[in-house]
Amino acid sequence: FANSVKHYYRLTKPRIVFMVLVTAVWGYFLALNGSFLDMLIEFRFWMTMLGTGLGAAGAAVLNQYVERDADAIMKRTQGRPIPSGLVSPLGALVFGLWLNLLGLGILLWQVNILTAFLVLYTNFLYVLVYTPMKRFSELNISFGAVPGAIPPLIGCTAVTGEFTLAGFVLFMIL
């Protein structure tokens, strides 16, 4: 059981999820106009991080599900859980969808619809635009930059419930 959990955990690409959360924290903090301590004691902050983290993890799993055939033939990615047979493709698909639905549900219920939409949009761009585009165009780098730059905007909208100049500035910087 512990090995199984470890392999599913690896599917979530925890280092990437961590970076998503770090940039979302900065967006949240700047939109809050308070102190760091104020942010840390807000329930909404923690729900934003949980929902965003689950969504990012779900996108990472779905990315590996979509790329499983290519991963199986590339030396660098053959050891990933799906191509190495440690996690079934169906298991990964269900896990990725479940993580996304749970994250979006938390954001809809505890934060706001705009923040949930931004997580959904980010995941759509990452999994269904950027990932397949890697196989046929070098423009994938430019398209991949967009979902990578949305997390600070997610943090800002979690606080304000709307798009703000500060959020767009952070988005453009990334």
Side-chain angles (χ1 to χ4, degrees), residues 7-169:
H7 300 310
Y8 277 91
Y9 176 73
R10 280 183 47 215
L11 280 174
T12 66
K13 297 183 180 179
R15 291 183 302 187
I16 292 174
V17 172
F18 176 76
M19 292 309 299
V20 166
L21 293 175
V22 165
T23 57
V25 164
W26 282 106
Y28 196 102
F29 177 70
L30 292 174
L32 188 60
N33 289 323
S35 72
F36 195 71
L37 183 58
D38 291 338
M39 181 180 72
L40 292 178
I41 61 173
E42 274 197 6
F43 180 75
R44 180 181 55 193
F45 168 74
W46 293 107
M47 292 298 100
T48 301
M49 293 303 111
L50 180 60
T52 302
L54 288 169
V61 173
L62 294 177
N63 164 267
Q64 289 182 72
Y65 171 80
V66 170
E67 291 192 314
R68 67 190 183 279
D69 294 334
D71 283 351
I73 58 174
M74 291 192 323
K75 193 79 169 158
R76 179 180 66 84
T77 56
Q78 286 175 340
R80 287 183 175 172
I82 299 171
S84 64
L86 298 169
V87 173
S88 73
L90 179 60
L93 177 62
V94 169
F95 182 55
L97 291 172
W98 182 83
L99 288 171
N100 273 293
L101 289 174
L102 185 60
L104 291 171
I106 288 168
L107 293 170
L108 282 169
W109 179 44
Q110 296 294 328
V111 183
N112 61 57
I113 192 168
L114 180 57
T115 303
F117 172 77
L118 283 173
V119 169
L120 180 64
Y121 182 63
T122 301
N123 293 355
F124 168 79
L125 290 175
Y126 179 64
V127 176
L128 298 176
V129 177
Y130 163 72
T131 298
M133 188 179 267
K134 289 194 298 188
R135 294 183 185 195
F136 65 86
S137 175
E138 291 178 8
L139 289 175
N140 73 76
I141 300 298
S142 299
F143 280 91
V146 174
I150 293 177
L153 198 53
I154 290 168
C156 283
T157 62
V159 174
T160 64
E162 60 188 19
F163 292 114
T164 63
L165 179 60
F168 278 116
V169 168

